[in-house]
């Protein structure tokens, strides 16, 4: 989150505990608050018409959550935030944010830049889903997760975020069975390995080549 926005959240209204498995907010609910994650992990997702869940972001400490339609009396959340790991968020009311933005032009500029970056991230994820199919969606998801949660080791990039195959499938907008098959193919060819649920990517360039990676800036090619 930009430093200028961090300053804005130094004066927050209150802190709120999050319990694993609960929702911080749900799609369609009135959007009255914005949150800064202090601890824990949130999964930001959208339920698509056939009932499947499409995960768009994984948010942890320092992330700003709860994109708002500012200066709109009927603003509603367009996504849902489910708690993956218990923690705490700092809460700021929409009215207070609107007041501060209307009074502080540099702050408004920084907020607009942050919102624009979030939209760019979402657009590139949908681009991968549409242009590259299920395989490309999984490959791009692995690349994004490695940028957000990857640790370089002597064997490759180890993803320090335990994910089930169903959770990976939610990132790709597909079924767990499809992800199982694609991961199995990658393991057989040595592109990745999986040990106790932890994925290590041994050949990141292969994944990038398969989806004709455009080498987006690192701040865009993430899942947070």
């Amino acid at each position: 989150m930009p430093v200028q926005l961090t300053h804005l959240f130094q004066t927050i209204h209150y802190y709120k505990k999050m319990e694993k498995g609960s929702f911080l907010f749900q799609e369609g609910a009135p959007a009255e608050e914005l949150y800064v994650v202090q601890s824990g992990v949130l999964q930001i997702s959208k339920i698509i018409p056939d009932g499947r869940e499409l995960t768009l972001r994984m948010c942890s400490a320092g992330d700003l959550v709860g994109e708002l339609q500012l200066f709109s009396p009927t603003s509603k959340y367009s996504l849902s935030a489910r708690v993956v790991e218990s923690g705490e968020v700092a809460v700021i009311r929409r009215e207070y944010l609107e007041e501060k933005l209307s009074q502080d032009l540099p702050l408004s500029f920084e907020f607009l830049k942050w919102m624009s970056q979030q939209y760019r991230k979402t657009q590139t994820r949908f681009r991968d889903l549409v242009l590259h199919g299920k395989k490309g969606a999984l490959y791009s998801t692995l690349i994004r997760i490695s940028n957000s949660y990857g640790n370089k080791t002597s064997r490759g990039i180890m993803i320090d975020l335990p994910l089930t195959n169903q959770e990976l499938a939610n990132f790709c907008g597909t079924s767990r069975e499809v992800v199982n098959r694609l991961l199995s193919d990658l393991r057989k060819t040595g592109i990745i390995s999986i040990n106790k649920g932890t994925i290590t990517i041994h050949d990141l360039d292969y994944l990038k080549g398969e989806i004709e990676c455009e080498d987006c800036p690192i701040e865009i090619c993430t899942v947070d």
Side-chain angles (χ1 to χ4, degrees), residues 30-189:
E32 301 295 341
E33 297 173 334
L34 198 65
Y35 308 91
V36 181
V37 181
Q38 305 296 299
S39 60
V41 178
L42 284 168
Q43 176 180 293
I44 310 301
S45 59
K46 187 175 186 65
I47 304 299
I48 52 184
D50 63 3
R52 287 177 295 161
E53 184 178 17
L54 178 61
T55 300
L56 297 174
R57 296 176 64 196
M58 295 291 287
C59 301
S60 53
D63 287 332
L64 194 60
V65 180
E67 290 87 339
L68 301 176
Q69 299 174 27
L70 294 176
F71 304 101
S72 171
T74 58
S75 178
K76 294 182 178 181
Y77 292 115
S78 59
L79 304 170
S80 297
R82 181 168 61 85
V83 182
V84 176
E85 181 181 302
S86 298
E88 186 178 60
V89 292
V91 182
I92 184 170
R93 299 288 296 174
R94 188 186 70 184
E95 294 90 342
Y96 175 76
L97 177 60
E98 290 175 343
E99 180 182 353
K100 295 293 288 185
L101 292 177
S102 64
Q103 297 173 352
D104 190 328
L105 183 58
L107 183 65
S108 298
F109 180 64
E110 289 300 323
F111 188 80
L112 285 173
K113 286 201 301 183
W114 175 81
M115 288 292 291
S116 176
Q117 181 172 308
Q118 301 310 307
Y119 288 136
R120 286 182 63 194
K121 287 182 180 180
T122 301
Q123 286 174 344
T124 56
R125 288 173 191 143
F126 282 126
R127 176 201 64 196
D128 292 341
L129 286 172
V130 172
L131 296 182
H132 302 296
K134 297 173 182 178
K135 183 173 75 170
L138 175 63
Y139 289 7
S140 67
T141 295
L142 291 174
I143 294 169
R144 293 174 191 279
I145 293 176
S146 72
N147 287 336
S148 295
Y149 296 96
N151 292 318
K152 290 185 177 180
T153 70
S154 58
R155 300 180 60 244
I157 301 175
M158 184 177 68
I159 296 176
D160 189 21
L161 178 69
L163 289 171
T164 66
N165 286 4
Q166 182 59 62
E167 288 170 332
L168 279 174
N170 291 345
F171 271 108
C172 305
T174 188
S175 66
R176 184 185 62 209
E177 291 74 19
V178 170
V179 168
N180 288 347
R181 176 174 55 80
L182 293 172
L183 289 176
S184 178
D185 291 343
L186 290 174
R187 294 176 71 176
K188 289 177 182 177
T189 54

